[in-house]
Amino acid sequence: MAAISIRNISKRFDSYEALNDINLEIHDREFMVLLGASGCGKTTLLRIIAGLETASSGEVWIDNRRIDHLPAKDRGISMVFQNYAIFPHLTVADNIGFGLKMAKMNAATIADRVQENAELMHIEQLLSRYSGELSGGQRQRVAVARALAMEPDVILMDEPLSNLDALLRLEMRAELKGVLQRSNTTAIYVTHDQVEAMSLADRVSVMDTGKIVQAADPMELYRNPATHFVAGFIGNPPMNFLKAQIVRSNTWKVAGVDFTGPSAFSNELLCAIRPEDVLLAASGLPAEVLMIEPLGPHLLVTVSVAGTPFRAILDVDTQVEVGNQIFLDPIQDRIRWFDPANNLAVSI
Amino acid sequence: MDQVGATTKASRMVYLSSIVLLCLWILGPLYLLAVNALSSPEAINQFPMSLIPEFDLESLVFFMKFNGMVDALVNSIIVAVLTMIFSIGLGAPAGYALSRFDFIGKEFFRVMILMTRAFPLPLLALPLAVLFIETGLDDTQIGLSLIHTTLALPFAILITFSLFSGIPKELEEAAWTLGCTRFGAFRHVVLPLILPGITASAIFAFVISWNEVFASAVLTIQNRTLTAFLLQNLDTAPLHLKFAGGFILVIPALVFIFAVRKYLFAMWGISNR
């Protein structure tokens, strides 16, 4: 059992506010991903949970234990670092067994657990090597095995895949997911890669300038972004935004076309449409094609809708050319609305 | 094409000849010293002298038997070992602090480390001698080793600073998350990694003390170190004795520095040589 509760955590570096009143509940055995651009405070938050950084104010609880005053070693956590942090003077086996040795376990138990976790990460043939003799991917496996060998309540990972090349990252991602599902640990995973976040997480917390803007499961995050920021951050490319003027109670005019939207409460809203949620049609949003990028599975077409750049993902066989006037028909129930006054989502 | 070839060839010639020149500059005198130390007294005084050593140990044996020489040798070793202990004992923690902690005046402190070398020792010798006599430290091995420590300490700090900086902080942090205290992480992770470098820096301190002559000559009378002893007897000693003494002085310094040269480069941030 290890549920984590982060309460009112703030962190200031001199005058710079890295974290601003963070509150987050992470359930037992949940895989939580902290997602955000660099400098948003996600790593700082992870390091505060780990005990490598002290919060300026606030509390961290694991189950019924307040841990923010404890040194890292007494928190029941283990951590995987971005640059692996494999001890270069020890063999792979000694690296994996390091924490167990520090806990003064007997040699036989250590050897068993080292073997078990090495097999789990498929590095049992490397046990007598030193980190200098390993590739990046192998080092990452050692780092994960070392963290898992501790059988921690909570495993913390700080961009563990970001130093790997693209193919290896895909492979390790799938493997990590499997390994962590089988182990009964709660995991907190920091990344700036939204695909990684979506694929791994039970829940994703999107962070921006020291705040958590939305914490939700990946599909919810994708379908119903809570703020303008999340809508403009998640998705590749992210949502398109078009200005909408009120016509009457629940009807809004976007680029000259009427759409059913939220009941009136202000005169202007932002209409948000995912690139893949439009179809080429005989009527709809009038658009001029500016650029066509064939990406293999589909075409990424940049158009101008009433002077606003708009990106659409169209079928690869679509016949369009730069300069064409086309019509894009959005899927009605996937349109989202945001209030430009406070950048929050408006429900219909 | 030819012109380019000629230019690279010429620059290569200049490069090679400067290397040869620099090597001769250092190795020439060393070779002559070795030849003379390893020749019999008669051979040294004859003219023209041979450039091939006779491997006659008479001079060295005579040197070792010379009155007070062994005592001076022992003194030199004691002072150098003390210097080594003091400068690592003080320098390594300072180097660690410089590389790991941010504190007010850190940059100033780093500059001041080098500034300690800006004052020529002769300038400080008289006040120091007075101070030492007042405190009773004069003519003691420990007193002299304190002076040598001030000479060696800046290097000890700078070398250990660069050694500690070469060890990623994540390694320590990883150790903390794996159940180590701050001290435990230092002992199990940092120390094994820097031990060779620390050894090198200790040897460097040893050599600095071993080679130092001015403070030794001024601050000791009975407990002369080897350098001071040789300086004192330079006028009166026969030629072969000077060569033997010089040889004995040079060899340990040379061997040690050669052994640890990699880490001395590290001090200036060129760690991959």
Side-chain angles (χ1 to χ4, degrees), chain A residues 34-113:
Chain A
L34 302 178
L35 174 67
S38 58
C40 72
K42 56 192 193 299
T43 294
T44 307
L45 181 57
L46 192 79
R47 290 172 58 86
I48 286 173
I49 300 169
L52 302 175
E53 203 96 59
T54 9
S56 306
S57 61
E59 298 171 6
V60 182
W61 292 69
I62 293 181
D63 292 331
N64 299 318
R65 226 157 46 102
R66 186 175 168 187
I67 58 152
D68 49 85
H69 59 283
L70 296 175
K73 71 184 182 72
D74 299 327
R75 294 189 176 199
I77 52 116
S78 57
M79 184 151 167
V80 179
F81 291 81
Q82 181 171 10
N83 48 11
Y84 323 132
I86 305 297
F87 305 130
H89 62 297
L90 298 177
T91 60
V92 168
D94 288 339
N95 262 287
I96 299 174
F98 185 86
L100 309 174
K101 199 173 157 202
M102 292 302 117
K104 303 215 162 33
M105 290 190 186
N106 71 53
T109 320
I110 296 180
D112 283 352
R113 276 224 223 159

Side-chain angles (χ1 to χ4, degrees), chain A residues 47 52 73 77 81 83 85-89 99 102 146 150, chain B residues 170-171 173-181 188-189 192-193:
Chain A
R47 290 172 58 86
L52 302 175
K73 71 184 182 72
I77 52 116
F81 291 81
N83 48 11
I86 305 297
F87 305 130
H89 62 297
M102 292 302 117
R146 184 175 69 182
M150 295 291 287
Chain B
E170 284 81 9
L171 288 184
E173 291 178 340
W176 299 344
T177 62
L178 291 167
C180 283
T181 57
H188 292 288
V189 176
L193 289 173

Side-chain angles (χ1 to χ4, degrees), chain B residues 137-198:
Chain B
L137 276 171
D138 62 306
D139 206 11
T140 60
Q141 289 143 346
I142 196 150
L144 185 56
S145 69
L146 286 178
I147 297 294
H148 288 175
T149 301
T150 61
L151 297 176
L153 197 55
F155 296 105
I157 294 174
L158 289 178
I159 295 173
T160 52
F161 163 66
S162 83
L163 289 171
F164 286 122
S165 302
I167 295 173
K169 192 155 197 300
E170 284 81 9
L171 288 184
E172 273 183 275
E173 291 178 340
W176 299 344
T177 62
L178 291 167
C180 283
T181 57
R182 225 171 216 285
F183 178 75
F186 184 84
R187 196 172 92 71
H188 292 288
V189 176
V190 179
L191 199 59
L193 289 173
I194 59 154
L195 208 54
I198 291 277

